[in-house]
């Protein structure tokens, strides 16, 4: 039996991808140290799929633990979500970020090579485009980083490129996610941030559910239609589907490709707040606050390469995104903690 291993499989995007893979008939291993997640997400994935996955508690920096998995199971491909992802924290704790993200990826690749598993889908990010000069952003746009988190993604992209240059029989897809939001339509799994959310959608949801007083909108003087920042929000279920397409692509292709996963449409912060209120019939009090340092005005994808190469495009609408985010938040006001 062949398995797809998900590092970070219990996390927000990993759990939705695990569900999509199980539903498509794949055998799935989740390898996660639960530093930002819990097994509850995986239990719910199993309930929703009506089938089990293999849950392994381990750290990608632990070569012996990884080797044990590859020894026990025949792994055909790895989808590599595991890593730390909070920009502010990365500025305060750069060594943790380089250790978990960069050193962890190097260890993973070393073990994969040892067991001759050479198909890898990597969670990259639109953050590698830095402050892009033009939108929509194509994969060929220049890359840069302004914080250790972004730098770690950029470094990994370079490392994986060098690996393919040296060993062309690897097949690697760098999926550059734009802004993942939403949740499975069951409301059973979703994003469960620790502490005060950094990202817009979980913050809006927590205001709507009464856990926070009001949203601060970081700046209304950007050169955008309504002055607030514009991003390419993508439903996490669409994102998960993109990983299946990437795995299928790697069945017959070697080499390395960077591919944007975005919708190609930008929405402003105010667009998101208004859609959330309208669709869910809830109040989202907000105030205008100063710009957040490091933020850019506008960022959205040129999504054509994903369509041409993978046959993938986002299907979900803005209304789906805000409805599904709210269903998860309202059904699980404290995330997975009480399950
Ligand atoms: P998440 O924190 O929910 O999931 C990451 C998972 O990795 C968690 O379950 C965590 O416990 C696990 N993990 C962390 N370090 C580990 C280690 N050393 N060993 C084993 N497991 C470890 O985050 P997410 O939103 O699901 O993001 C998944 C990936 O996508 C990350 O690499 C992230 O950088 C990337 N990404 C996320 C976004 C986003 O906005 N959510 C955007 C672009 C890229
Ligand atoms: N944003 C905001 N208030 C918040 C969180 C985010 O106004 O509490 C804005 C932010 O300035 C940006 C957009 O929402 O314009 C998306 O921010 P997020 O942190 O979700 O994603 P990223 O900055 O990584 O694109």
């Amino acid at each position: 039996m062949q398995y797809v291993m998900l590092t970070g499989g219990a996390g927000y995007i990993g759990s939705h991808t695990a569900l999509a893979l199980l539903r498509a008939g794949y055998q799935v291993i989740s390898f996660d140290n639960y530093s930002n997640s819990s097994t509850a997400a995986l239990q719910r994935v199993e309930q929703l799929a009506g089938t089990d996955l293999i849950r392994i508690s381990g750290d990608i920096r632990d070569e012996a633990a990884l080797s044990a998995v590859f020894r026990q199971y025949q792994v055909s491909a790895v989808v590599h979500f595991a890593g730390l992802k909070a920009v502010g924290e990365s500025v305060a704790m750069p060594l943790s970020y380089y250790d978990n993200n960069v050193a962890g990826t190097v260890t993973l690749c070393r073990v994969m090579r040892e067991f001759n598993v050479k198909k890898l889908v990597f969670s990259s990010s639109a953050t590698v485009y830095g402050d892009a000069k033009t939108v929509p952003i194509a994969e060929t746009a220049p890359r840069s980083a302004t914080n250790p988190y972004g730098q770690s993604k950029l470094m990994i992209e370079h490392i994986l490129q060098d690996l393919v240059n040296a060993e062309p029989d690897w097949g690697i897809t760098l999926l550059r996610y734009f802004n993942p939001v939403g949740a499975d339509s069951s409301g059973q799994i979703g994003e469960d941030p620790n502490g005060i959310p950094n990202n817009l959608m979980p913050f809006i949801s927590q205001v709507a559910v009464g856990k926070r007083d009001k949203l601060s909108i970081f700046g209304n003087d950007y050169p955008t239609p309504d002055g607030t920042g514009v991003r390419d929000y993508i439903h996490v279920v669409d994102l998960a589907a993109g990983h299946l397409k990437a795995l299928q692509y790697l069945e017959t292709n070697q080499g390395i490709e960077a591919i944007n996963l975005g919708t190609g449409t930008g929405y402003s912060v105010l667009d998101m707040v208004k859609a959330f209120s309208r669709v869910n019939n809830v109040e989202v009090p907000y105030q205008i606050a100063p710009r957040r340092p490091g933020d850019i005005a506008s960022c959205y994808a040129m999504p054509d390469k994903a369509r041409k190469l993978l046959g993938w495009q986002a299907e979900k609408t803005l209304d789906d995104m805000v409805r599904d985010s709210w269903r998860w938040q309202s059904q699980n006001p404290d995330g997975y903690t009480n399950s």
Side-chain angles (χ1 to χ4, degrees), residues 59-189:
D59 194 299
I60 53 165
R61 294 164 295 175
D62 182 345
E63 195 154 347
L66 277 175
S67 298
V69 178
F70 284 86
R71 207 169 295 119
Q72 186 173 356
Y73 301 99
Q74 203 185 331
V75 176
S76 57
V78 175
V79 187
H80 178 30
F81 298 103
L84 304 179
K85 63 166 184 177
V87 171
E89 187 185 65
S90 81
V91 176
M93 304 166 58
L95 294 182
S96 291
Y97 275 68
Y98 292 123
D99 190 32
N100 270 277
N101 296 5
V102 182
T105 301
V106 172
T107 302
L108 172 68
C109 290
R110 208 167 37 229
V111 176
M112 287 176 68
R113 184 176 52 189
E114 194 184 322
F115 287 87
N116 203 29
V117 179
K118 295 192 167 182
K119 295 183 195 307
L120 177 67
V121 179
F122 172 63
S123 297
S124 190
S125 167
T127 193
V128 300
Y129 296 120
D131 191 354
K133 294 275 171 295
T134 54
V135 282
I137 307 173
E139 287 82 355
T140 48
R143 289 172 292 169
S144 66
T146 51
N147 58 70
Y149 168 68
Q151 195 66 257
S152 76
K153 292 290 176 192
L154 202 47
M155 288 165 98
I156 295 166
E157 287 203 355
H158 286 303
I159 290 167
L160 296 177
Q161 176 71 61
D162 288 342
L163 178 59
V164 170
N165 291 347
E167 301 176 20
D169 59 337
W170 281 78
I172 300 181
T173 315
L174 310 172
L175 295 181
R176 295 182 182 151
Y177 311 152
F178 279 68
N179 288 58
V181 297
D184 184 69
S185 61
S186 64
Q188 287 292 301
I189 57 173

Side-chain angles (χ1 to χ4, degrees), residues 26-322:
Y26 286 83
Q27 308 291 328
V28 176
I29 300 169
S30 165
F31 185 93
D32 199 306
N33 67 358
Y34 306 116
S35 58
N36 195 36
S37 57
S38 72
T39 53
L42 294 175
Q43 283 162 15
R44 293 193 185 180
V45 165
E46 290 176 337
Q47 281 162 13
L48 289 167
T51 176
D52 288 355
L53 48 70
I54 298 192
R55 292 184 223 161
I56 293 169
S57 173
D59 194 299
I60 53 165
R61 294 164 295 175
D62 182 345
E63 195 154 347
L66 277 175
S67 298
V69 178
F70 284 86
R71 207 169 295 119
Q72 186 173 356
Y73 301 99
Q74 203 185 331
V75 176
S76 57
V78 175
V79 187
H80 178 30
F81 298 103
L84 304 179
K85 63 166 184 177
V87 171
E89 187 185 65
S90 81
V91 176
M93 304 166 58
L95 294 182
S96 291
Y97 275 68
Y98 292 123
D99 190 32
N100 270 277
N101 296 5
V102 182
T105 301
V106 172
T107 302
L108 172 68
C109 290
R110 208 167 37 229
V111 176
M112 287 176 68
R113 184 176 52 189
E114 194 184 322
F115 287 87
N116 203 29
V117 179
K118 295 192 167 182
K119 295 183 195 307
L120 177 67
V121 179
F122 172 63
S123 297
S124 190
S125 167
T127 193
V128 300
Y129 296 120
D131 191 354
K133 294 275 171 295
T134 54
V135 282
I137 307 173
E139 287 82 355
T140 48
R143 289 172 292 169
S144 66
T146 51
N147 58 70
Y149 168 68
Q151 195 66 257
S152 76
K153 292 290 176 192
L154 202 47
M155 288 165 98
I156 295 166
E157 287 203 355
H158 286 303
I159 290 167
L160 296 177
Q161 176 71 61
D162 288 342
L163 178 59
V164 170
N165 291 347
E167 301 176 20
D169 59 337
W170 281 78
I172 300 181
T173 315
L174 310 172
L175 295 181
R176 295 182 182 151
Y177 311 152
F178 279 68
N179 288 58
V181 297
D184 184 69
S185 61
S186 64
Q188 287 292 301
I189 57 173
E191 186 171 12
D192 184 14
N194 272 329
I196 303 170
N198 292 307
N199 294 114
L200 179 66
M201 188 56 93
F203 206 105
I204 290 177
S205 302
Q206 291 196 6
V207 170
V209 86
K211 288 184 80 169
R212 318 226 166 255
D213 283 351
K214 57 179 133 166
L215 171 74
S216 289
I217 294 183
F218 299 139
N220 66 349
D221 56 353
Y222 283 107
T224 60
D226 64 22
T228 65
V230 166
R231 296 290 183 275
D232 187 336
Y233 297 94
I234 172 159
H235 198 296
V236 67
V237 169
D238 278 334
L239 205 59
H243 292 76
L244 265 74
K245 293 286 191 182
L247 284 169
Q248 285 161 11
Y249 174 81
L250 290 180
E251 283 172 17
T252 49
N253 292 279
Q254 294 179 339
I256 184 164
E257 293 288 350
I259 303 177
N260 288 340
L261 292 186
T263 65
T265 302
Y267 289 110
S268 74
V269 178
L270 278 172
D271 289 335
M272 299 307 285
V273 171
K274 287 179 190 158
F276 197 98
S277 298
R278 170 178 54 78
V279 170
N280 300 317
N281 203 16
V282 288
E283 294 281 312
V284 181
Y286 64 83
Q287 63 184 6
I288 304 299
R291 290 182 179 192
R292 184 170 64 178
D295 270 2
I296 57 178
S298 190
C299 173
Y300 53 95
M302 173 98 77
D304 302 29
K305 187 172 175 183
R307 198 173 58 240
K308 285 187 196 129
L309 222 59
L310 305 182
W312 172 92
Q313 63 184 20
E315 308 282 349
K316 303 270 189 186
T317 63
L318 175 61
D319 287 16
D320 295 330
M321 298 183 210
V322 296

